[in-house]
Amino acid sequence: MGIYPSLVTIILVVISVKRTQQAAITTDFTFSTIKRETNSDVNADSGVIISITDNAVTTNVPDTTTNDPHGTTTDTSGITSDHHGTTPESHRTTHGDTTHSDEAHGGSGHGRYPVVTFNFEHVAAPYVIALWVLLASLAKIGFHLQNRLASIFPESCMLIILGVLLGLIFFLVNGLHHSLFYTLDATTFFLFLLPPIILEAGYFMPTRAFFDNIGTILTFAVIGTLWNTFAIGLCLYGLIYGGVIDLNLGFLPCMVFSSLISAVDPVAVLAVFEEIHVNEVLYIVVFGESLLNDAVTVVLYHMFETYTEMGQEEVQAVDVISGTVSFFIVGIAGLLFGVMFGLLASFVTKFTSHVRVIEPVFVFVMAMLAYYSAEIFHFSGIMALIFCGISMKKYVEQNISAKSHTTVKYFMKMLSSIMETIIFMFLGLSTVTWNHAWNTGFVFFSLLFVFIFRFIGVLGLTAVCNHFRAIQINYVDQFIMGYGGLRGAIAFCLVILLDEKVIPEKQVLVTTTIVIVYFTNFAQGITIKPIVNLLRVKKQLKFKPSLNEEINGRLMDHTNAGIEDIVGTYGSSGIRER
Amino acid sequence: MGIYPSLVTIILVVISVKRTQQAAITTDFTFSTIKRETNSDVNADSGVIISITDNAVTTNVPDTTTNDPHGTTTDTSGITSDHHGTTPESHRTTHGDTTHSDEAHGGSGHGRYPVVTFNFEHVAAPYVIALWVLLASLAKIGFHLQNRLASIFPESCMLIILGVLLGLIFFLVNGLHHSLFYTLDATTFFLFLLPPIILEAGYFMPTRAFFDNIGTILTFAVIGTLWNTFAIGLCLYGLIYGGVIDLNLGFLPCMVFSSLISAVDPVAVLAVFEEIHVNEVLYIVVFGESLLNDAVTVVLYHMFETYTEMGQEEVQAVDVISGTVSFFIVGIAGLLFGVMFGLLASFVTKFTSHVRVIEPVFVFVMAMLAYYSAEIFHFSGIMALIFCGISMKKYVEQNISAKSHTTVKYFMKMLSSIMETIIFMFLGLSTVTWNHAWNTGFVFFSLLFVFIFRFIGVLGLTAVCNHFRAIQINYVDQFIMGYGGLRGAIAFCLVILLDEKVIPEKQVLVTTTIVIVYFTNFAQGITIKPIVNLLRVKKQLKFKPSLNEEINGRLMDHTNAGIEDIVGTYGSSGIRER
């Protein structure tokens, strides 16, 4: 007794994990399954894994007491030949040899040579990806053909709505279980969907505006995010402690939540700000903040989550110091990784004059390596990508052929555009399929705090920054900076990464995050354009500088650099011109 | 007794399968592992799966009789924290939260907050891919910098040599087991490496030369491949039957082998012919043959393999008829899939004028869908891709913006170039790690037959084709056609797809295939350039046609089409001009 049922389980596990493996690229749902389906049965797709982690295999296994080991084997092949059957065997059915697995014979009688065979499984992963990309692209075309809708709603909102509709369809047709395959999972997001967008942002970064405003950007990214995190977290905990919000959430989980919800999201900001064409300073301050706050978010999220796991009473002074130290390491190391790989790409492209056609490879591969290398050590991958893009651009542009550079730029934009589309669509999809846990008080106060502390932070920090700025940020711009602080997919992915065992109230946090993401993207995203027009926010210059302006500008820069050289002080002109 | 050791096994299975899953994209080695390691133990990486299929799990499990279920759980976490530990948990450790798995704590004392953490597993798959692509690109640059080497060896040969060297290094450093991770596996090859090359071939197909010579190409692709398959297969079987070759190989396995070794390989042909610049007719005939013979190869390989599984005595007349029917279906359906998706891409790109940046997406996605859709039904994916490329090009070129088209063309060439590099490098790698089974007689006669029947086929078929051709193919061209009949990675992947249970002598076939691939690529690939120069083969025209020539050519085409319209007969001009 005992060993054979377990054998069956092993085989079931292998089958389901194999199935998982096939779908791994698109829909790495193992994680979410583990979280949500603690009471799933053995037959559910891939639900078996949880049973193991929960140490509950024995309860699910039928207690057959057969003594014949071959009986079990027969069982297995029975499972193999069902509709979803993907034993290790099916991995071989790649190029014209389905007949290994039983299902292939299905069509044309047992044992006869089949004229046409059908086997979807072996191309499932790339096929599903291709279909999603196609759908995303078609959606994009469709929206742009609808001029009236496109003028009111930002594209991101329409994509979320499309995602929700698709989610409802999957929900109704397949039931909740199957729609699990189509949620935005964190692995796919952080490894494949996010990097192209950030790379594009870094590569096309208006470096001059960025470095001219780096002080303001850093102030908002670091101090602003810290302020938001602590203000939101402390106030929420205060209300929970005071009994205003009826939720059993400790201090540290509160801080974890506030750390992930505080950061302004680059993807959401990009999607909205691209359409409203505000002036460059305003754009770069908000967008730069959304990029550079990644280091802060990573550290705060990581820190509070670790503290939560350790337990509040276990946290010692040394942990707090470690946290503070890792703060600098995560950001600076990310930056260094980025610059290193960026310069490496610049160096390698010096030798490609004989093989022009592979030049774009280096740009993309080096950027990816920068990101993944930073992620290995849990440094800020976003910082790495941004600075990889910034540092390689000038050199790569000169080294590679004009056609290569067109391809690099165009393909980068294309990839980023598609990934953005997929992210918003998946965000919509994920909303439908999730088991929501609603807590009105928590949702309301989170939303309120997110909104007001953002404004307080912006007003306070701008007041400080304006002391050091030549060009003052006026109140109208400050309002847009506060109003444009959108939250997005990064927050969502971080909240679904939380461990339900450590934070049992995770579902509430997830639902609240979704509400905040939706609110900022819909309410603020839709109204920001009219407000920008109403307040007469200084717009982006539509015309290119004339030749005269350009020559004068360059002359001024050179003169400045010369004066700085003579005087012996080093300002931004020195760096810029040398 | 019994249940807990099995539980340990389940967890081990999950861990190893998870590990497999992470590396799944690059190195889907499950298949090869199953084949080779029937006596592996539980602790070997991913070797567990075999134990299950071989129903030998029980013998490998240590028979501990602990009664405490939690004891087992503790065991698990012990396993998790080792170097390779990848439980389902580690899938969550994506963005700054390693601390869930025990290993993360390793660096900085138990329970303390770690300043820097290290977790390679969660980025392993894309990281390894990126590194391989980088290595391939660097290798390509390196070769082109070595002008002396590059003038003697074709790039493909040098890449194979590099692969062999890398293989030796892996072999010596890690031992055979770990080098399993770096073989050319059939799934990766057919799903990801091959399609970009074929798409590029189809998209940049010189359509005029292709359709002008379609008769000759089809003759070679269909009748030539059939001739080679049956001639080689029958002769080999004859020698085996007659006792000249000392090998226990039946008639049908012989035919399986000859079907996979008969087809000229497009990747190998492309690599070599790109460097020798022969005239367009010669090029298109050899290259066209290598592309269109895919349908024949798929059918013959599939057919003989199925027959082998059924057993020789089981094969009835109806099976042979089915085989012949599927012959036409596989080719024509592949073509139709290609044309369908090609026209779909052409249609969709009519509506992209508002979103220029995603135009290249459609070209690539539609082509991929054509290929994968054909593969689902085991139609010829190569045919689908070729005709998708041909049919979409004219329309897409007109619909999309100039920049989009540059990107499409450039990126296609880049992808194809990189994939080709990787294929040859992996081909070299796979040679070292495989357990070879050498059979001198079989290797010698296979090589001999491959060589001479190719020449006999070319001579005989050209004699027939020349009757119908306006421009005769002379003997020099015929020699190059015969000599340029290189075999390559497709043959290798098809032979490793064979089932050792059905054909126990598989290893001999694999080794022989490798020898033939090496011989044709090295001996023929290196000498073909000097021979082309020696025989004064008509070279490709280097100059573009003058404006006058072009206008005259167009005028003639239009006139021809007009005359055909009036006369009422339809020749190639009619199709070309309308």
Side-chain angles (χ1 to χ4, degrees):
Chain A
M1 185 219 126
I3 192 77
Y4 300 122
S6 327
L7 247 175
V8 177
T9 321
I10 295 168
I11 291 147
L12 275 167
V13 168
V14 173
I15 292 166
S16 45
V17 174
K18 277 283 153 192
R19 183 158 163 69
T20 317
Q21 187 177 335
Q22 289 214 343
I25 308 165
T26 17
T27 52
D28 198 342
F29 52 82
T30 323
F31 150 71
S32 36
T33 325
I34 291 162
K35 290 301 177 61
R36 280 169 276 171
E37 309 213 8
T38 35
N39 56 350
S40 70
D41 57 32
V42 174
N43 285 317
D45 290 326
S46 79
V48 190
I49 307 150
I50 320 102
S51 316
I52 295 149
T53 47
D54 290 348
N55 202 22
V57 166
T58 46
T59 52
N60 288 325
V61 175
D63 204 350
T64 47
T65 50
T66 167
N67 286 315
D68 173 26
H70 294 291
T72 324
T73 337
T74 327
D75 268 17
T76 331
S77 60
I79 294 158
T80 329
S81 61
D82 77 4
H83 176 61
H84 290 301
T86 49
T87 52
E89 292 273 315
S90 70
H91 266 264
R92 293 204 326 277
T93 61
T94 310
H95 195 254
D97 67 336
T98 17
T99 41
H100 282 288
S101 62
D102 291 359
E103 61 189 303
H105 288 296
S108 55
H110 183 72
R112 287 277 68 81
Y113 181 79
V115 178
V116 176
T117 52
F118 179 85
N119 181 9
F120 180 64
E121 295 296 332
H122 76 289
V123 297
Y127 207 87
V128 170
I129 295 174
L131 281 179
W132 274 112
V133 171
L134 183 65
L135 186 64
S137 316
L138 289 177
K140 230 181 158 73
I141 294 183
F143 291 152
H144 282 272
L145 290 177
Q146 300 287 326
N147 281 322
R148 266 183 55 202
L149 271 178
S151 64
I152 303 169
F153 291 96
E155 201 181 283
S156 51
C157 295
M158 297 210 280
L159 288 167
I160 292 179
I161 294 171
L162 176 72
V164 172
L165 292 178
L166 284 175
L168 284 172
I169 293 167
F170 289 142
F171 188 82
L172 294 173
V173 174
N174 280 325
L176 188 60
H177 195 82
H178 273 274
S179 52
L180 281 181
F181 291 83
Y182 302 103
T183 55
L184 180 61
D185 79 287
T187 309
T188 312
F189 177 76
F190 286 118
L191 291 193
F192 304 105
L193 298 178
L194 186 62
I197 299 174
I198 305 299
L199 175 63
E200 196 245 346
Y203 200 83
F204 293 101
M205 178 73 79
T207 31
R208 183 151 191 171
F210 181 73
F211 286 112
D212 278 354
N213 295 291
I214 190 76
T216 313
I217 293 171
L218 276 176
T219 312
F220 278 98
V222 179
I223 302 173
T225 310
L226 282 172
W227 152 255
N228 270 293
T229 304
F230 283 96
I232 296 171
L234 289 171
C235 287
L236 279 178
Y237 182 66
L239 291 183
I240 290 169
Y241 192 78
V244 180
I245 300 172
D246 179 26
L247 186 70
N248 179 24
L249 202 67
F251 170 66
L252 287 171
C254 248
M255 292 307 292
V256 172
F257 174 71
S258 74
S259 73
L260 66 89
I261 205 68
S262 295
V264 176
D265 190 84
V267 184
V269 166
L270 206 60
V272 165
F273 274 67
E274 260 180 359
E275 296 185 13
I276 59 175
H277 306 292
V278 293
N279 64 77
E280 200 174 31
V281 173
L282 181 51
Y283 170 76
I284 203 69
V285 169
V286 179
F287 186 51
E289 178 203 342
S290 73
L291 290 169
L292 298 194
N293 66 17
D294 177 62
V296 182
T297 309
V298 166
V299 173
L300 287 179
Y301 175 81
H302 192 178
M303 195 168 72
F304 286 119
E305 207 197 11
T306 314
Y307 291 169
T308 312
E309 273 165 37
M310 287 158 64
Q312 202 165 326
E313 57 285 349
E314 284 288 320
V315 178
Q316 296 170 8
V318 64
D319 296 318
V320 179
I321 294 167
S322 301
T324 318
V325 172
S326 70
F327 205 80
F328 294 96
I329 292 178
V330 164
I332 292 167
L335 188 152
L336 288 179
F337 264 112
V339 172
M340 195 181 75
F341 280 99
L343 294 180
L344 218 55
S346 314
F347 179 71
V348 171
T349 45
K350 285 182 75 154
F351 303 99
T352 49
S353 51
H354 290 90
V355 272
R356 290 285 185 209
V357 82
I358 57 167
E359 283 170 340
V361 173
F362 292 107
V363 174
F364 291 106
V365 166
M366 288 296 184
M368 286 293 128
L369 285 177
Y371 181 78
Y372 294 132
S373 301
E375 286 288 311
I376 288 177
F377 298 97
H378 295 283
F379 298 147
S380 168
I382 290 184
M383 291 278 278
L385 266 184
I386 289 293
F387 284 96
C388 183
I390 290 178
S391 63
M392 73 162 72
K393 196 191 178 189
K394 285 245 162 180
Y395 303 101
V396 163
E397 211 168 1
Q398 302 295 325
N399 284 340
I400 70 180
S401 74
K403 271 195 180 178
S404 291
H405 200 230
T406 306
T407 305
V408 166
K409 287 193 291 185
Y410 210 86
F411 202 79
M412 221 177 247
K413 278 188 187 297
M414 185 194 89
L415 219 56
S416 150
S417 168
I418 286 298
M419 293 309 177
E420 196 186 293
T421 312
I422 292 177
I423 286 173
F424 284 115
M425 214 161 61
F426 273 30
L427 203 61
L429 263 176
S430 312
T431 323
V432 180
T433 52
W434 200 274
N435 309 312
H436 292 289
W438 184 263
N439 183 313
T440 313
F442 193 72
V443 168
F444 173 76
F445 282 108
S446 298
L447 207 51
L448 186 74
F449 292 147
V450 162
F451 197 74
I452 60 168
F453 286 128
R454 168 82 193 163
F455 274 99
I456 295 172
V458 167
L459 291 173
L461 290 174
T462 323
V464 177
C465 288
N466 271 344
H467 274 288
F468 302 95
R469 289 182 62 90
I471 306 160
Q472 300 284 303
I473 299 174
N474 62 30
Y475 282 110
V476 172
D477 281 2
Q478 286 176 41
F479 179 78
I480 299 298
M481 279 164 68
Y483 205 73
L486 309 180
R487 270 62 164 183
I490 294 182
F492 175 76
C493 284
L494 288 178
V495 80
I496 60 170
L497 277 175
L498 291 176
D499 191 348
E500 202 146 24
K501 271 175 274 173
V502 179
I503 304 173
E505 297 293 335
K506 182 189 160 186
Q507 293 306 333
V508 178
L509 303 185
V510 171
T511 305
T512 311
T513 307
I514 289 177
V515 171
I516 294 172
V517 170
Y518 272 54
F519 185 82
T520 53
N521 276 281
F522 278 82
Q524 294 175 215
I526 293 171
T527 53
I528 198 166
K529 205 171 180 177
I531 291 175
V532 163
N533 292 330
L534 198 76
L535 295 178
R536 297 213 187 87
V537 176
K538 217 177 127 198
K539 291 284 186 81
Q540 205 179 356
L541 295 175
K542 281 270 164 62
F543 53 90
K544 274 186 150 185
S546 69
L547 189 63
N548 196 17
E549 282 175 306
E550 209 166 294
I551 291 172
N552 270 314
R554 298 278 295 173
L555 182 68
M556 286 300 282
D557 285 349
H558 278 289
T559 316
N560 270 343
I563 292 169
E564 276 178 10
D565 248 4
I566 295 163
V567 173
T569 61
Y570 295 100
S572 54
S573 318
I575 304 161
R576 199 182 289 149
E577 290 306 313
R578 245 173 271 136
Chain B
M1 183 220 127
I3 192 76
Y4 300 122
S6 327
L7 248 175
V8 176
T9 320
I10 295 167
I11 292 148
L12 274 168
V13 169
V14 173
I15 292 166
S16 44
V17 175
K18 276 285 152 196
R19 183 160 164 67
T20 316
Q21 188 178 332
Q22 289 214 344
I25 308 164
T26 18
T27 52
D28 198 342
F29 53 81
T30 324
F31 149 70
S32 37
T33 324
I34 291 162
K35 290 300 176 60
R36 280 169 276 169
E37 309 210 10
T38 37
N39 55 350
S40 70
D41 58 35
V42 175
N43 285 318
D45 289 326
S46 80
V48 190
I49 307 151
I50 319 103
S51 317
I52 295 148
T53 46
D54 290 349
N55 201 23
V57 166
T58 45
T59 52
N60 288 325
V61 174
D63 204 348
T64 47
T65 49
T66 166
N67 286 314
D68 173 26
H70 295 289
T72 323
T73 336
T74 326
D75 267 16
T76 332
S77 59
I79 293 158
T80 328
S81 61
D82 77 4
H83 176 61
H84 291 300
T86 50
T87 52
E89 292 271 314
S90 69
H91 265 266
R92 295 204 326 278
T93 60
T94 310
H95 195 254
D97 67 335
T98 17
T99 41
H100 282 290
S101 60
D102 291 357
E103 61 187 303
H105 287 295
S108 56
H110 184 73
R112 288 276 71 82
Y113 181 78
V115 178
V116 176
T117 52
F118 179 85
N119 181 8
F120 179 63
E121 295 296 332
H122 76 288
V123 296
Y127 208 86
V128 169
I129 294 174
L131 282 180
W132 273 113
V133 171
L134 182 65
L135 186 63
S137 316
L138 289 177
K140 231 180 157 70
I141 294 183
F143 292 151
H144 281 273
L145 289 178
Q146 300 287 325
N147 281 322
R148 266 180 59 200
L149 271 179
S151 63
I152 303 169
F153 291 96
E155 201 181 282
S156 50
C157 294
M158 296 208 284
L159 288 167
I160 292 179
I161 294 170
L162 176 72
V164 171
L165 292 177
L166 285 175
L168 284 172
I169 293 167
F170 290 143
F171 188 82
L172 294 173
V173 174
N174 280 323
L176 188 61
H177 195 83
H178 272 273
S179 50
L180 281 180
F181 291 82
Y182 302 102
T183 56
L184 179 61
D185 79 289
T187 310
T188 313
F189 177 75
F190 285 117
L191 291 192
F192 303 106
L193 299 178
L194 187 61
I197 299 175
I198 305 298
L199 174 63
E200 195 246 347
Y203 200 82
F204 292 101
M205 178 74 77
T207 31
R208 183 151 192 171
F210 181 73
F211 285 112
D212 279 352
N213 295 290
I214 189 79
T216 313
I217 293 170
L218 276 177
T219 312
F220 277 99
V222 180
I223 302 175
T225 309
L226 282 172
W227 151 257
N228 270 294
T229 304
F230 283 96
I232 295 171
L234 289 171
C235 286
L236 279 178
Y237 182 65
L239 291 183
I240 290 169
Y241 192 78
V244 181
I245 300 172
D246 179 27
L247 187 71
N248 178 24
L249 204 68
F251 170 67
L252 287 171
C254 247
M255 292 307 293
V256 172
F257 174 69
S258 73
S259 73
L260 67 88
I261 205 68
S262 295
V264 175
D265 190 84
V267 184
V269 165
L270 207 60
V272 165
F273 273 69
E274 261 180 359
E275 296 186 12
I276 58 174
H277 305 293
V278 294
N279 63 75
E280 201 176 30
V281 173
L282 181 52
Y283 170 76
I284 202 69
V285 169
V286 179
F287 186 50
E289 178 204 339
S290 74
L291 291 169
L292 299 194
N293 67 19
D294 178 63
V296 182
T297 309
V298 166
V299 173
L300 287 179
Y301 174 82
H302 193 180
M303 195 167 73
F304 286 120
E305 207 198 11
T306 314
Y307 291 169
T308 311
E309 273 166 37
M310 287 157 65
Q312 203 166 325
E313 57 285 346
E314 285 286 320
V315 178
Q316 297 168 7
V318 64
D319 296 319
V320 179
I321 294 167
S322 302
T324 318
V325 172
S326 70
F327 204 81
F328 294 96
I329 294 178
V330 164
I332 293 166
L335 188 150
L336 288 179
F337 265 112
V339 172
M340 194 181 78
F341 280 100
L343 294 180
L344 217 57
S346 313
F347 179 73
V348 171
T349 45
K350 284 182 75 155
F351 303 98
T352 49
S353 52
H354 290 91
V355 271
R356 289 286 183 207
V357 81
I358 58 166
E359 282 170 343
V361 173
F362 292 106
V363 174
F364 291 105
V365 166
M366 288 297 183
M368 286 294 129
L369 285 178
Y371 180 78
Y372 294 131
S373 302
E375 286 287 312
I376 288 176
F377 300 97
H378 294 283
F379 299 146
S380 167
I382 290 185
M383 292 277 279
L385 267 184
I386 289 291
F387 284 95
C388 184
I390 291 178
S391 63
M392 73 162 71
K393 194 192 178 188
K394 285 245 161 178
Y395 303 100
V396 164
E397 210 169 0
Q398 302 294 325
N399 284 341
I400 70 181
S401 75
K403 270 195 183 178
S404 291
H405 201 229
T406 306
T407 305
V408 166
K409 287 193 290 184
Y410 211 85
F411 202 78
M412 220 177 248
K413 278 188 188 296
M414 186 194 87
L415 219 56
S416 150
S417 167
I418 286 298
M419 293 309 178
E420 197 185 291
T421 312
I422 293 177
I423 287 174
F424 284 114
M425 213 160 61
F426 273 29
L427 203 61
L429 264 176
S430 312
T431 322
V432 181
T433 52
W434 201 274
N435 308 313
H436 291 289
W438 183 265
N439 182 313
T440 313
F442 192 72
V443 168
F444 174 74
F445 282 108
S446 299
L447 206 52
L448 186 75
F449 291 147
V450 162
F451 197 74
I452 60 168
F453 287 127
R454 170 81 193 160
F455 274 99
I456 296 173
V458 167
L459 290 174
L461 291 174
T462 321
V464 177
C465 288
N466 270 347
H467 274 290
F468 303 95
R469 288 181 64 90
I471 305 160
Q472 300 284 302
I473 299 174
N474 61 29
Y475 283 110
V476 172
D477 281 3
Q478 286 175 41
F479 179 78
I480 299 298
M481 280 163 69
Y483 205 73
L486 308 180
R487 271 62 166 182
I490 295 183
F492 176 76
C493 285
L494 288 177
V495 80
I496 60 170
L497 277 175
L498 290 176
D499 191 348
E500 203 147 22
K501 273 178 269 171
V502 178
I503 304 174
E505 297 294 336
K506 182 188 159 187
Q507 292 306 332
V508 177
L509 302 185
V510 171
T511 305
T512 310
T513 306
I514 289 177
V515 171
I516 293 171
V517 170
Y518 272 55
F519 184 83
T520 53
N521 277 282
F522 278 82
Q524 295 174 215
I526 293 172
T527 53
I528 198 166
K529 205 171 181 179
I531 290 175
V532 163
N533 291 329
L534 198 75
L535 295 178
R536 297 212 186 90
V537 176
K538 219 177 126 197
K539 290 286 187 78
Q540 207 180 350
L541 295 175
K542 282 269 163 63
F543 54 89
K544 274 187 150 184
S546 70
L547 189 63
N548 194 18
E549 282 176 306
E550 210 168 291
I551 292 173
N552 270 315
R554 298 278 295 171
L555 182 68
M556 286 299 282
D557 285 350
H558 277 290
T559 315
N560 271 344
I563 291 170
E564 276 176 11
D565 248 5
I566 295 163
V567 174
T569 61
Y570 295 100
S572 54
S573 318
I575 304 162
R576 197 182 288 149
E577 291 304 315
R578 245 173 268 132

